[in-house]
Amino acid sequence: MIRKLLRLLLLSFLSLLTLYILLLSFVSISMGVTNTDRPGFWMPILSGLLVLWLSIYIIRLIVHIVGQSKVK
């Protein structure tokens, strides 16, 4: 019972964290794309893509945790 509750808490925390990271990533990419006339416009695009790549791994972790809970 406690393990289920902790797993649910972990999944909800990871989901909210991933949504926040995705929001930051899309805002960063859109700021870089809209300011292409300024020098260094590529930096927010690059950092947004790297953060997006990080969020993909967090999503894979969430899917792995859900898969492990369904096996038991």
Side-chain angles (χ1 to χ4, degrees):
M1 181 68 181
I2 298 293
R3 285 186 144 187
K4 255 187 188 181
L5 184 62
L6 287 176
R7 188 178 301 130
L8 181 65
L9 216 63
L10 177 68
L11 287 176
S12 62
F13 174 73
L14 285 176
S15 299
L16 288 174
L17 179 70
T18 304
L19 287 174
Y20 179 69
I21 289 174
L22 285 173
L23 175 71
L24 287 179
S25 172
F26 288 131
V27 167
S28 177
I29 291 171
S30 69
M31 291 300 284
V33 169
T34 57
N35 293 316
T36 55
D37 56 336
R38 297 180 182 225
F41 73 94
W42 56 272
M43 197 62 187
I45 296 173
L46 180 65
S47 64
L49 289 175
L50 289 175
V51 170
L52 184 67
W53 183 58
L54 171 72
S55 67
I56 289 172
Y57 279 107
I58 295 174
I59 291 171
R60 290 181 63 192
L61 176 67
I62 292 170
V63 169
H64 177 74
I65 291 172
V66 169
Q68 288 293 323
S69 67
K70 290 195 182 227
V71 168
K72 292 181 180 179

